[in-house]
Amino acid sequence: MQNHLLLQARQNRLIATVRVFQACFSLASALVEHGGAGGFDPYVRQILTGYLGVSALGCVTAYFWRSRHETLFLGLLAVDGLVFAAVLYLTAGSTSPFFAVFLLIVLSATLQWGWRGAAAATATALAVFAATGLPTYHDLTGSPFDPPRFILRIGTLLSVGGLLVAYGQHQERINNGMLSLFGAPRAAEASERPPTFECLEFATSVFGLERATFVWGDPEEPSLQIDQLTPGGPLKSSWPISADDPLMDDAREPFFFDGRRPTVVSLAPDGRTRRDQGDILTSPLLSVFATELALVLPVSASRFSGWIILSAFPSLDREALMLGGVVARQVSVAIEAWRSLVAWRDAAAAEERVRIARDLHDGTLQFMAGTAMQLTALFRELEPRQKGARDRVQRLLEDLKSEQGQLRVLIDSTSPPARLGGRPADFQEEVQNLAAVLARRWSTDISVNVEQPADRELPGNLAFELLQIVREAISNAVRHGKASAVSINADSDKKSMKLTITDNGIGMPVHGVFNMQELKTIRVGPRMLQDRVSALGGELVLESRPNGTTLRITAPLARAAP
């Protein structure tokens, strides 16, 4: 049973207030029905008057005795049932004007105990009301039996009760789904691989499914990774990147995809459900991994993008789309946390390497230098005729110098990178080395032309960020733009560094020249590059043509200076 403890006090106050109004209107209805107080059946008058008093007392108690709300509700609900069963039998039986009160009792039980309360209250009300149709009752009271009204009220009780049971079950599913969100996936360790299977287990547990697929990509890899959760266990595979797959660029919000009759159902910004018949229906990924009705959840984190495909979804559900949006954000947070753990691990490892290097430099290397000086002095003190001893000391000196050289290389390799140390960097050499690596990785022709003044080096942190921008831009050009050649041009002046990256691909879906604000407005373009340039305080201009894309980036030097 779902937990109502947080809402029971409020529900009881609402029900107690409505009970007072109902008691007042019941008494007034009886007065009108019988033509004044003199026409009252004495028992009905006493019962309704007493019920009004009990309702008022219960309402006051509900506002000031909140710690015992369940005891209070049970007592008053029992009073409701007894009072209106008695009034029903003392007035007109199956044609009594107080029949509608049973519907309020069923509704109150639904608010308090969900669908189980609705089912129990409906069954009790049916049992009490059905007895008014027995011949024995009409023989004892002399009330006429009205079969059409009796049948209609039985049907009304069944219909309303059934609807409230279904509503209670629906609310319980939503509440349980929301409660399951508290078990969001978390990266237990800074592993080299993101916690995709943990995320799949979390998503399937929220929706009660057995199969799910996580399609994700690393900007530095030429293929997508496919992680599948199946009843038989986890599976791993890869998928070639296709720039023509609309899932890559168009899927930004949760949506249903029905592979049996290709249809996309999502929520519009105003909260309405909409059916799309756009390009996403042609996605090769969806045609393979969403052959039935599937819920697709886009996942996004820094330098990470992916999609969770929850297969064999039971039915289209508007609430599932809303809940899916929360799940997607939870998974995105988990991926971001994993990246933070990896970054923290790398930073801690770098700091430890620097500490070790410092200890080696200040301790071992200095000791070795002192030992070399002592051996040199000893060599000079030896007589020329002591050739054997001189040769042995000479070999020791040579071995010691060789070990010193290797140790210095080790110390240099443990020094912090330019981004952490903030030391100047030779951007021309760095970008040429990176271009050579990326050209081999992506099988792409990459040309580099960097005009950097000989007397000026870039701040290390700016060089690092620009290299990451180059890496990301080349990845996008090859993966999404189908480029076979990329050119990198850079030059700097006293105020800024200017970087131009041009490819011969197919361009963006929208052609033209756009600045960062326009790219954000029309929601196209490389989001990660925009974030990096924005963090540098720079500017980005994107020119998209049918025969390629050009990125023009300007980064201020003053902001990056250590």
Side-chain angles (χ1 to χ4, degrees):
M1 181 180 292
Q2 57 181 320
N3 188 352
H4 287 277
L5 291 179
L6 296 178
L7 298 177
Q8 281 180 338
R10 180 179 298 178
Q11 291 170 351
N12 281 328
R13 293 197 298 271
L14 173 63
I15 295 170
T17 303
V18 173
R19 181 181 287 106
V20 173
F21 280 96
Q22 178 60 42
C24 292
F25 282 109
S26 297
L27 188 57
S29 175
L31 287 169
V32 172
E33 179 75 16
H34 293 282
F40 255 132
D41 182 289
Y43 294 108
V44 173
R45 180 178 58 197
Q46 293 172 10
I47 291 173
L48 290 178
T49 303
Y51 180 69
L52 177 59
V54 171
S55 299
L57 180 61
C59 183
V60 174
T61 306
Y63 277 88
F64 295 100
W65 195 33
R66 302 179 186 181
S67 60
R68 301 299 300 274
H69 43 75
E70 182 131 7
T71 303
L72 174 66
F73 183 83
L74 281 171
L76 290 178
L77 186 64
V79 171
D80 291 342
L82 292 174
V83 166
F84 286 101
V87 171
L88 185 71
Y89 281 86
L90 290 174
T91 51
S94 61
T95 61
S96 171
F98 300 102
F99 165 78
V101 178
F102 281 107
L103 301 181
L104 292 178
I105 294 175
V106 175
L107 179 58
S108 298
T110 305
L111 290 175
Q112 187 71 15
W113 296 303
W115 69 270
R116 294 172 179 82
T122 301
T124 302
L126 279 172
V128 171
F129 183 75
T132 64
L134 297 175
T136 304
Y137 167 76
H138 296 285
D139 292 341
L140 292 175
T141 62
S143 301
F145 179 61
D146 187 351
R149 182 172 294 186
F150 179 80
I151 296 173
L152 179 62
R153 289 184 170 182
I154 289 287
T156 300
L157 264 177
L158 287 172
S159 301
V160 174
L163 185 62
L164 290 175
V165 168
Y167 169 77
Q169 291 177 329
H170 176 69
Q171 286 298 111
E172 183 169 325
R173 285 195 300 270
I174 294 177
N175 289 348
N176 290 336
M178 294 301 293
L179 288 174
S180 65
L181 293 177
F182 289 103
R186 296 181 180 179
E189 57 182 14
S191 58
E192 296 300 327
R193 207 171 185 278
T196 52
F197 284 110
E198 291 83 352
C199 294
L200 287 177
E201 290 174 356
F202 165 67
T204 52
S205 68
V206 170
F207 294 100
L209 302 176
E210 294 183 345
R211 294 180 176 272
T213 303
F214 203 142
V215 182
W216 59 279
D218 189 320
E220 298 183 12
E221 295 298 331
S223 62
L224 294 172
Q225 303 301 312
I226 309 295
D227 293 337
Q228 292 180 279
L229 197 64
T230 67
L235 301 175
K236 297 181 183 179
S237 59
S238 60
W239 182 272
I241 291 177
S242 172
D244 295 333
D245 196 330
L247 182 66
M248 302 285 187
D249 300 315
D250 297 342
R252 305 200 178 191
E253 298 294 337
F255 64 91
F256 277 110
F257 179 83
D258 194 342
R260 298 164 298 185
R261 46 184 183 282
T263 307
V264 172
V265 179
S266 60
L267 289 179
D270 60 1
R272 297 182 180 180
T273 303
R274 65 184 178 189
R275 292 181 178 267
D276 298 326
Q277 302 290 337
D279 295 338
I280 203 166
L281 296 177
T282 63
S283 169
L285 273 168
L286 293 179
S287 65
V288 172
F289 297 106
T291 55
E292 300 178 276
L293 181 63
L295 178 61
V296 182
L297 309 178
V299 178
S300 178
S302 59
R303 297 187 60 78
F304 182 97
S305 59
W307 303 267
I308 291 180
I309 303 174
L310 297 167
S311 306
F313 216 83
S315 62
L316 291 172
D317 192 340
R318 184 176 184 276
E319 284 73 18
L321 286 173
M322 301 174 66
L323 192 60
V326 181
V327 171
R329 290 178 178 85
Q330 292 279 62
V331 171
S332 298
V333 170
I335 298 296
E336 195 67 53
W338 164 76
R339 296 199 67 89
S340 298
L341 281 175
V342 172
W344 176 85
R345 180 203 62 185
D346 293 344
E351 184 177 352
E352 182 65 15
R353 288 195 299 268
V354 171
R355 186 190 65 79
I356 294 174
R358 187 183 300 114
D359 292 343
L360 289 174
H361 181 274
D362 296 342
T364 306
L365 196 59
Q366 296 303 323
F367 173 78
M368 294 174 72
T371 303
M373 292 177 62
Q374 294 293 331
L375 288 174
T376 301
L378 178 61
F379 179 82
R380 291 172 181 172
E381 291 177 0
L382 292 174
E383 297 292 336
R385 66 176 180 275
Q386 297 175 300
K387 187 174 182 305
R390 289 173 64 90
D391 289 344
R392 291 175 62 186
V393 172
Q394 183 66 34
R395 285 195 297 270
L396 285 174
L397 278 171
E398 291 174 357
D399 291 343
L400 190 58
K401 289 180 180 179
S402 175
E403 292 298 322
Q404 281 181 291
Q406 294 183 20
L407 187 57
R408 288 188 183 278
V409 171
L410 177 62
I411 292 173
D412 290 340
S413 68
T414 58
S415 299
R419 185 187 188 190
L420 297 178
R423 55 183 171 81
D426 186 347
F427 184 68
Q428 183 174 11
E429 180 181 354
E430 297 283 350
V431 75
Q432 286 176 342
N433 293 338
L434 177 62
V437 173
L438 296 179
R440 291 193 300 270
R441 174 177 296 173
W442 297 105
S443 300
T444 305
D445 182 18
I446 302 176
S447 61
V448 178
N449 178 29
V450 178
E451 297 179 3
Q452 181 177 331
D455 60 343
R456 187 182 308 130
E457 291 182 316
L458 291 182
N461 55 346
L462 177 59
F464 177 87
E465 293 296 337
L466 290 177
L467 289 173
Q468 298 305 319
I469 288 174
V470 169
R471 187 191 303 271
E472 180 74 19
I474 293 176
S475 171
N476 289 337
V478 178
R479 295 172 65 183
H480 304 301
K482 295 184 176 181
S484 60
V486 180
S487 65
I488 303 170
N489 295 278
D491 62 86
S492 62
D493 52 31
K494 295 182 179 180
K495 294 183 178 180
S496 62
M497 182 73 182
K498 298 180 180 179
L499 181 65
T500 303
I501 304 172
T502 305
D503 66 69
N504 66 345
I506 60 175
M508 304 291 294
V510 180
H511 295 155
V513 180
F514 311 96
N515 58 29
M516 281 202 297
Q517 185 58 45
E518 292 169 335
L519 290 173
K520 290 180 180 179
T521 302
I522 62 177
R523 300 183 70 179
V524 299
R527 288 175 291 172
M528 291 185 183
L529 287 185
Q530 295 178 46
D531 293 341
R532 286 191 179 275
V533 174
S534 178
L536 291 174
E539 297 177 358
L540 168 66
V541 176
L542 183 147
E543 181 181 355
S544 175
R545 308 175 304 279
N547 60 348
T549 303
T550 298
L551 298 173
R552 297 183 179 87
I553 299 162
T554 303
L557 296 176
R559 182 166 177 173

